[in-house]
Amino acid sequence: MKPRKNKPTRPFKNTVLCFCEGETEKVYLTCLKKDRYKNVHIELKPQISNAGFKNIFYDIEQLLAEPPETNYKYIFYVLDMDVIYGDNRINEYKNQKKSVESLDQAKERLTIIESRPCIEFWFLLHYKNTDKCFVNCDEIIVELCKHIPEYCKNQNYITSLYKELKNKLETARQRSEAICKKERVDNEDYSYSGMHILIRILDDLQNKTSPNNQIK
């Protein structure tokens, strides 16, 4: 008699899909995935070709139309805001964002993670508590280099940078959350990042899927 093979108790399904628009975001999120979220199935969908928010929002709408049981339970869109502001497309972006977020399917599944001007502001928060409005990524990098003189957008470098940033992540998360909760005057310009939201949700998923929390 042939030995009976153990069959999985439940079908495999994707849990998290994360759209990201740049190489830096892709490498940083890949490091997070491998290091911090080993128990969470995360699929990254980088859009290095600058597909633009219009096309990505369209793709998200198509995914949301499918049930989470056979598709992705959580969808994230991680993006920088500097080009949107620089191209004067912020109103167009906000209207399309509002349209997608208003979908019933989006309420429990979609989270948009913005960084203004770019993800380097999230990196800066690991070293400095500020909400100064940096106009573009170049300005942020100048400030970031005061703390990390060798900073550059090289794939191998970002991987090594993650090892340094990980020990300061909680500091950055607290600063990022405080900036987003701070009361603002009308039309106040400031830099911010929603990366703390991504970290919080993924931490919750990691804890829920941890072997110590599984029902035996």
Side-chain angles (χ1 to χ4, degrees):
M1 181 182 295
K2 293 183 179 180
R4 182 179 180 182
K5 294 182 179 180
N6 293 327
K7 294 183 179 180
T9 56
R10 57 184 177 181
F12 174 82
K13 61 180 180 181
N14 293 326
T15 302
V16 175
L17 176 65
C18 186
F19 288 90
C20 51
E21 287 191 341
E23 185 71 28
T24 303
E25 288 86 348
K26 184 196 80 170
V27 177
Y28 179 74
L29 291 171
T30 298
C31 291
L32 274 174
K33 170 185 172 181
K34 292 180 179 179
D35 175 53
R36 193 177 178 96
Y37 304 117
K38 295 178 181 178
N39 295 330
V40 182
H41 181 79
I42 302 173
E43 182 176 329
L44 299 178
K45 191 169 184 181
Q47 303 290 325
I48 309 302
S49 60
N50 294 321
F53 63 83
K54 187 174 182 179
N55 291 337
I56 294 176
F57 276 135
Y58 174 80
D59 289 343
I60 290 172
E61 285 190 48
Q62 301 305 303
L63 289 170
L64 289 174
E66 302 177 21
E69 293 79 13
T70 58
N71 191 253
Y72 299 97
K73 189 173 182 181
Y74 302 97
I75 299 172
F76 295 94
Y77 178 15
V78 179
L79 75 157
D80 295 342
M81 299 296 292
D82 54 346
V83 174
I84 294 174
Y85 274 96
D87 292 345
N88 198 28
R89 299 182 67 190
I90 187 62
N91 289 333
E92 179 187 355
Y93 166 79
K94 286 181 177 179
N95 288 336
Q96 191 155 4
K97 173 185 174 182
K98 183 178 180 180
S99 176
V100 174
E101 288 184 324
S102 66
L103 298 173
D104 290 339
Q105 307 95 315
K107 291 178 173 56
E108 299 295 330
R109 297 174 63 193
L110 174 64
T111 306
I112 298 172
I113 306 295
E114 302 171 356
S115 291
R116 182 181 183 191
C118 53
I119 197 172
E120 276 80 6
F121 180 72
W122 167 249
F123 297 163
L124 180 63
L125 290 178
H126 291 67
Y127 299 91
K128 183 176 182 178
N129 190 12
T130 179
D131 63 355
K132 172 186 174 182
C133 183
F134 294 90
V135 175
N136 53 48
C137 195
D138 289 340
E139 287 189 4
I140 282 284
I141 291 177
V142 169
E143 186 66 28
L144 190 58
C145 283
K146 295 177 182 178
H147 307 274
I148 318 172
E150 68 278 12
Y151 181 81
C152 64
K153 283 179 169 291
N154 175 273
Q155 180 172 342
N156 291 331
Y157 175 75
I158 299 299
T159 300
S160 64
L161 175 65
Y162 173 79
K163 297 176 183 178
E164 180 179 344
L165 294 178
K166 62 181 289 186
N167 295 324
K168 302 178 179 67
L169 189 146
E170 187 58 32
T171 297
R173 176 160 61 174
Q174 292 175 6
R175 289 171 174 171
S176 180
E177 186 174 3
I179 288 170
C180 290
K181 287 183 176 179
K182 183 179 177 180
E183 292 187 10
R184 303 287 175 178
V185 299
D186 291 343
N187 299 319
E188 180 179 357
D189 284 328
Y190 60 97
S191 292
Y192 63 90
S193 177
M195 285 297 294
H196 64 280
I197 301 172
L198 177 69
I199 299 294
R200 172 175 53 79
I201 295 175
L202 292 181
D203 277 357
D204 287 344
L205 289 175
Q206 171 72 12
N207 292 334
K208 288 177 182 178
T209 55
S210 172
N212 293 331
N213 291 330
Q214 297 298 308
I215 299 175
K216 296 181 180 181

